[in-house]
Amino acid sequence: MVYVPNFRCVKNLSSRVLYVKRQNVVRLSLEIRLVREVGWTLTFSLWFWVLGVWKRSKSEGHEDYGLLVGEPAKKYAIVKELDEPLSLKDGTVVLQYEVRLQNGLECGGAYLKYLRPQEAGWVSKEFDNESPYMIMFGPDKCGATNKVHFILKHKNPKSGEYIEHHLKNPPSVPSDKLTHVYTAILKPDNELRILIDGEEKQKANFLAADDFQPPLIPEKTIPDPDDKKPEDWDERAKIPDPDAVKPDDWDEDAPMEIEDEDAVKPEGWLDDEPEEIDDPEATKPEDWDDEEDGEWEAPKIDNPKCEAAPGCGEWKRPMKRNPAYKGKWHAPLIDNPNYKGIWKPQQIPNPNYFELDKPDFEPIAAVGIEIWTMQDGILFDNILISKDEKVAESYRASAWKPKFDVEKEKLKAEEAAAGSDGLAGFQKTVFDLLYKVADIPFLDAYKLKIIDVIEKGEKQPNLTIGILVSVVAVIITVLFKIIFGGKKAKVEPPKETEAAESSSSKQEDSGEKEEETEKEETAAAPARRRRREN
């Protein structure tokens, strides 16, 4: 349960700006479950629903206050009911707010929920993830997810069910720690525009089937759920030739490889020298107990005599492919005379189909933040609902832009101080460009892989060039496929170059390799002891 703070609501023309007034109080709900199992075993299950405490805090480097996520790995919820519900059916509506990810965002959300009118008796302190919303808008990032959500919950007038419709190809979340302003503009002609820092990142139409998943207007027909595939329906396009006979000279038992009879033992091969020998410098530990640990055996090292020779130990002829090998015989495939194609249920009229000229937007009755995040330092500010695009633009210019400019200049100074050669600034520019490239629609199939590689590069700056080359290679391959068509080589997701992987492994994996080596050495000694004991 969450007790929500008051917001100071400032009316400006046909807009509303919401500011935090005071910090909220959180009550921790704790449920203890006692389970009695068979016998005398008692199992206690302790369930925690940990809620974070909102803070009214200044943005780093500014005198401006905002609503702050103060602790990581907790859930946060807060809501402000509007004085009266705001209709979205008449004219333009602008939804806008600022958020600063002061400690970055690896796994968590920073979005807003615009709630429709709740059921009678609902009170704001009951706001949680089950509270019905109409629009969810803002950044969300975790694992493969990296997007600025726009989700519309629209009621199907036939079924009465609320369906979540997700904007396709949403823009990515900016990767820095600066203040960004997110704007969603809903136009009366069904157009939706998503802006980040005043720059348009996505444009869509609410009624276009290609812009939302699932589309707002459902399909006219659906597969008949009662239609069943006939038992004699044959979906096999090819079948083994029933008249085919295995040739008499087909030897299924012939091995795939045989010894190369033409091979000759290299001159200088040391037949009597083992590949490994006891380490002559190793000594038995003073605390070694033969009775408990077994007879001590020196660790093995590579035989130095074998380094100069072509090989040591018993020489064996190498294997080569058997020219007589044919493998298991299978009858050749022929066209299936009974083939009927892939069965599909017949289409029937969709009972929930409806036509629509405009989305049936419900009023906005409240604005809430309901997130779970692994990062602290998320700062919300200047939440705006307006009927006028110019009002939103003026707030970007007067409230957001001055803060952003100060933060950007500070970042440039820090990057310059970090490296006089300007490499840090170059890397930042490259990564910003690559995030924009990932948003290109025809690369949508590879977007998550590209973003994953970019994020690895941000954590390991030495990979910058390798990342850039990998992403460019993917773009060229996809373009080549689009232009020339036909059967092309399969496009692989981008991956770091071998040089980048080598550099990365040296920096990140050295500790892991040392740990693995210790484990191998620890396991090796007991193995030798067991051989002696047997």
Side-chain angles (χ1 to χ4, degrees):
M1 306 288 288
V2 180
Y3 294 96
V4 182
N6 293 328
F7 287 79
R8 177 161 52 87
C9 185
V10 180
K11 292 188 177 181
N12 184 309
L13 299 177
S14 58
S15 64
R16 299 173 182 176
V17 186
L18 310 180
Y19 295 92
V20 182
K21 185 176 180 182
R22 71 169 185 261
Q23 176 180 316
N24 72 322
V25 180
V26 177
R27 188 173 73 192
L28 177 67
S29 295
L30 177 63
E31 176 188 353
I32 301 179
R33 182 182 298 175
L34 174 63
V35 181
R36 175 170 293 174
E37 299 178 349
V38 179
W40 297 96
T41 304
L42 294 178
T43 302
F44 291 87
S45 298
L46 198 59
W47 299 81
F48 288 96
W49 188 248
V50 182
L51 299 179
V53 179
W54 291 100
K55 296 180 181 179
R56 180 177 180 268
S57 177
K58 290 182 181 180
S59 179
E60 292 181 8
H62 305 288
E63 293 300 316
D64 189 33
Y65 283 85
L67 185 63
L68 179 69
V69 170
E71 299 176 84
K74 290 189 177 181
K75 186 169 185 176
Y76 289 81
I78 192 170
V79 69
K80 166 60 184 176
E81 294 183 84
L82 304 185
D83 295 337
E84 58 185 30
L86 175 68
S87 173
L88 304 185
K89 293 184 177 181
D90 302 323
T92 297
V93 175
V94 182
L95 310 176
Q96 181 172 284
Y97 73 102
E98 297 173 18
V99 67
R100 185 179 184 187
L101 310 174
Q102 298 177 121
N103 296 325
L105 186 64
E106 292 184 9
C107 190
Y111 43 77
L112 300 189
K113 288 185 176 180
Y114 299 85
L115 279 63
R116 62 179 185 262
Q118 307 295 297
E119 296 180 357
W122 183 83
V123 290
S124 58
K125 68 179 181 179
E126 295 177 354
F127 174 61
D128 59 15
N129 64 321
E130 298 297 328
S131 300
Y133 68 87
M134 202 235 338
I135 291 175
M136 190 174 102
F137 172 51
D140 188 20
K141 186 177 179 182
C142 193
T145 300
N146 183 343
K147 64 180 71 174
V148 177
H149 279 296
F150 186 93
I151 303 173
L152 171 65
K153 269 196 172 182
H154 192 265
K155 185 177 181 179
N156 184 306
K158 292 291 186 70
S159 67
E161 181 183 4
Y162 283 92
I163 307 295
E164 283 189 2
H165 303 276
H166 293 244
L167 175 66
K168 289 184 178 180
N169 304 316
S172 301
V173 181
S175 58
D176 54 45
K177 301 177 182 179
L178 309 180
T179 301
H180 293 283
V181 57
Y182 297 88
T183 309
I185 303 174
L186 289 66
K187 305 287 285 186
D189 62 354
N190 299 330
E191 182 183 87
L192 169 67
R193 296 172 60 212
I194 303 297
L195 281 60
I196 300 179
D197 299 343
E199 180 182 347
E200 183 177 295
K201 297 293 185 179
Q202 178 70 302
K203 181 186 288 186
N205 187 296
F206 281 107
L207 302 187
D210 295 334
D211 290 346
F212 281 85
Q213 178 60 37
L216 265 71
I217 301 177
E219 298 289 341
K220 288 185 178 182
T221 61
I222 60 172
D224 184 355
D226 298 323
D227 195 10
K228 305 298 181 183
K229 183 172 72 171
E231 293 183 0
D232 61 348
W233 191 280
D234 197 336
E235 294 183 333
R236 299 173 300 163
K238 299 282 186 178
I239 60 172
D241 185 354
D243 299 327
V245 179
K246 183 176 71 171
D248 294 335
D249 62 347
W250 192 288
D251 185 0
E252 292 185 336
D253 298 325
M256 182 182 293
E257 291 185 332
I258 58 175
E259 286 188 353
D260 185 358
E261 297 294 339
D262 297 329
V264 179
K265 182 170 68 174
E267 185 177 350
W269 188 279
L270 305 179
D271 297 82
D272 299 329
E273 287 290 341
E275 293 183 0
E276 291 185 336
I277 60 172
D278 292 344
D279 185 354
E281 298 181 0
T283 55
K284 180 178 178 180
E286 294 181 359
D287 59 349
W288 188 278
D289 190 322
D290 290 339
E291 293 183 0
E292 293 184 2
D293 301 326
E295 183 179 352
W296 181 79
E297 184 177 301
K300 299 291 185 179
I301 62 170
D302 292 336
N303 188 342
K305 294 181 180 179
C306 299
E307 294 180 3
C312 291
E314 181 185 358
W315 180 81
K316 295 180 180 180
R317 285 188 174 88
M319 304 297 287
K320 70 175 184 178
R321 183 172 181 81
N322 183 3
Y325 172 76
K326 294 184 178 182
K328 186 174 179 60
W329 181 84
H330 296 279
L333 297 178
I334 61 172
D335 292 336
N336 183 1
N338 298 320
Y339 175 66
K340 295 183 178 181
I342 302 301
W343 182 86
K344 294 181 181 179
Q346 65 176 345
Q347 295 288 309
I348 61 173
N350 184 359
N352 295 322
Y353 173 77
F354 63 92
E355 294 184 354
L356 198 65
D357 293 328
K358 290 180 178 294
D360 187 17
F361 293 119
E362 297 193 41
I364 294 178
V367 180
I369 306 172
E370 187 273 316
I371 58 175
W372 181 88
T373 178
M374 291 300 295
Q375 271 70 49
D376 58 356
I378 302 175
L379 189 80
F380 295 87
D381 198 7
N382 293 334
I383 301 171
L384 168 72
I385 304 175
S386 176
K387 292 280 189 176
D388 190 340
E389 290 184 57
K390 292 184 178 179
V391 173
E393 185 178 346
S394 69
Y395 270 98
R396 291 197 298 268
S398 62
W400 166 75
K401 192 64 164 62
K403 289 188 292 188
F404 180 78
D405 289 342
V406 170
E407 294 164 10
K408 196 169 184 179
E409 289 301 319
K410 182 180 178 182
L411 179 62
K412 287 181 179 179
E414 291 174 350
E415 290 175 347
S420 58
D421 59 356
L423 183 59
F426 165 74
Q427 291 164 342
K428 176 67 168 57
T429 302
V430 169
F431 290 127
D432 287 345
L433 176 62
L434 291 178
Y435 273 113
K436 293 180 180 180
V437 168
D439 287 332
I440 298 175
F442 76 82
L443 291 175
D444 186 54
Y446 312 98
K447 180 175 180 178
L448 298 180
K449 293 292 185 182
I450 292 174
I451 289 176
D452 182 59
V453 172
I454 295 171
E455 289 175 347
K456 288 180 181 178
E458 288 180 314
K459 295 176 182 178
Q460 306 166 52
N462 59 298
L463 298 183
T464 302
I465 301 301
I467 300 296
L468 181 59
V469 171
S470 299
V471 174
V472 170
V474 170
I475 295 173
I476 293 174
T477 306
V478 174
L479 285 174
F480 197 85
K481 188 174 184 181
I482 292 174
I483 294 171
F484 296 100
K487 293 184 178 180
K488 305 295 180 188
K490 183 179 178 181
V491 180
E492 296 293 339
K495 54 187 178 181
E496 295 88 340
T497 60
E498 292 182 359
E501 289 177 342
S502 175
S503 178
S504 171
S505 63
K506 290 179 182 178
Q507 291 189 358
E508 287 193 338
D509 300 338
S510 59
E512 296 179 4
K513 289 183 177 179
E514 291 175 359
E515 184 177 342
E516 291 174 0
T517 302
E518 292 176 359
K519 291 179 180 178
E520 291 173 358
E521 292 177 353
T522 304
R528 296 191 191 106
R529 296 169 192 165
R530 286 192 292 270
R531 287 199 301 270
R532 284 294 186 183
E533 290 171 358
N534 292 334

